[in-house]
Amino acid sequence: MTSAQPLVVAFDLDDTLAPSKSPVDPRVAQQLVDLARRVEVAVISGGQIGQFRAQLVDRLPDATDALAHIHLLPTCGTAYYRHDGSDFSLLYSRDLTDDEKSRALAAIEEEAKRLGYWETETWGPILEDRGSQITFSALGQSAPVDAKKAWDPTSEKKSELRDAVAARLPDLEVRSGGSTSVDITRKGIDKAYGMHQLAEQSGISLDDMLFYGDRLDEGGNDRPVLDMGVACVAVTGWEDTADKLDALLTELAVRV
């Protein structure tokens, strides 16, 4: 980083700030507000804004001064929200066309059924139109964490499905998402795209940003951030993130 301390601290959401599809712990919610009183804070995830609200926004303490410094980037930054004094409001959304959506939905359903990965007992819809992203969740959007971990512990199913769908949609980006999900967006959309959008909207250089993620390994959905040269901190879950934030907060001065 060009400065001694980061000016922006960004986070993945699932398994970094909270268990997959689950609310953040009160400890983390307070840490994010405390951090936003020191630097700009961003959360970048493949989830849609509804997921952000349920997991994060609805759990944050009532602190308008701090919330003004929090940036939300659902669907990897193809949508962008900032707090307007009363709520997080949309700045932009770069949606897929109707043709792109219909082709993506058809391809992923047909390939999942062909490969035997279309489950009949699920927790909510398997397919979701997130506007700028089509998401396949093998066990449904609300599946419990233990069930998701058991469905594809080696990620072989996700990888096979991703490759099959990508072959049918060469004009779109198809990538592994969470533990049981595959995401389809326009080409070039990943968390690196989100970080570029964050830099553009905030006016702060990528060199002055710090990113926390649980999947910085090769092939992980946080890896594009590391590959683009942003300083990164690898974590193993929300508790690890919280411990590391305790240390970071002691190093950063509160805004005057």
Side-chain angles (χ1 to χ4, degrees), residues 12 43-48 52 72-80 92 94 130 132-133 175-177 183 185 188-198 221-222 224:
D12 168 49
V43 181
I44 302 176
S45 172
Q48 63 167 331
F52 273 64
L72 303 181
L73 291 89
T75 51
C76 293
T78 54
Y80 197 110
Y92 70 72
R94 294 165 185 157
R130 296 179 176 177
S132 54
Q133 177 176 295
R175 65 182 184 280
S176 294
D183 299 326
T185 63
I189 305 298
D190 56 20
K191 286 179 184 167
Y193 173 88
M195 293 297 288
H196 279 298
Q197 296 305 305
L198 178 59
N221 59 10
D222 297 322

Side-chain angles (χ1 to χ4, degrees), residues 96 100 103-105 107-108 132-136 165 169 172-175 182-186:
L96 293 163
E100 289 169 333
R103 289 189 293 112
L105 288 165
I108 200 158
S132 54
Q133 177 176 295
I134 297 298
T135 294
F136 165 91
V165 175
L169 301 171
L172 297 175
E173 189 84 35
V174 185
R175 65 182 184 280
V182 173
D183 299 326
I184 303 173
T185 63
R186 292 212 173 102

Side-chain angles (χ1 to χ4, degrees), residues 35 79 88-89 108 131 138 156 167 191:
L35 189 60
F88 283 92
S89 59
I108 200 158
E156 289 179 17
K191 286 179 184 167

Side-chain angles (χ1 to χ4, degrees), residues 41-167:
V41 173
V43 181
I44 302 176
S45 172
Q48 63 167 331
I49 188 59
Q51 182 180 329
F52 273 64
R53 291 191 183 281
Q55 290 187 255
L56 177 63
V57 174
D58 293 348
R59 308 290 168 160
L60 293 173
D62 185 11
T64 304
D65 61 318
L67 298 181
H69 296 284
I70 294 179
H71 308 243
L72 303 181
L73 291 89
T75 51
C76 293
T78 54
Y80 197 110
Y81 289 76
R82 292 292 306 276
H83 203 269
D84 61 10
S86 60
D87 194 7
F88 283 92
S89 59
L90 180 68
L91 294 185
Y92 70 72
S93 182
R94 294 165 185 157
D95 292 348
L96 293 163
T97 65
D98 288 343
D99 173 68
E100 289 169 333
K101 289 179 182 180
S102 63
R103 289 189 293 112
L105 288 165
I108 200 158
E109 180 171 349
E110 290 167 11
E111 291 304 316
K113 288 179 175 177
R114 181 181 67 82
L115 293 168
Y117 300 154
W118 188 268
E119 303 294 339
T120 56
E121 296 184 10
T122 64
W123 291 262
I126 292 175
L127 295 177
E128 185 180 9
D129 177 355
R130 296 179 176 177
S132 54
Q133 177 176 295
I134 297 298
T135 294
F136 165 91
S137 297
L139 300 177
Q141 298 297 322
S142 303
V145 173
D146 289 346
K148 291 196 291 186
K149 287 182 177 178
W151 186 77
D152 188 21
T154 63
S155 295
E156 289 179 17
K157 294 179 181 178
K158 271 196 316 176
S159 296
E160 186 178 15
L161 179 58
R162 191 218 74 84
D163 291 347
V165 175

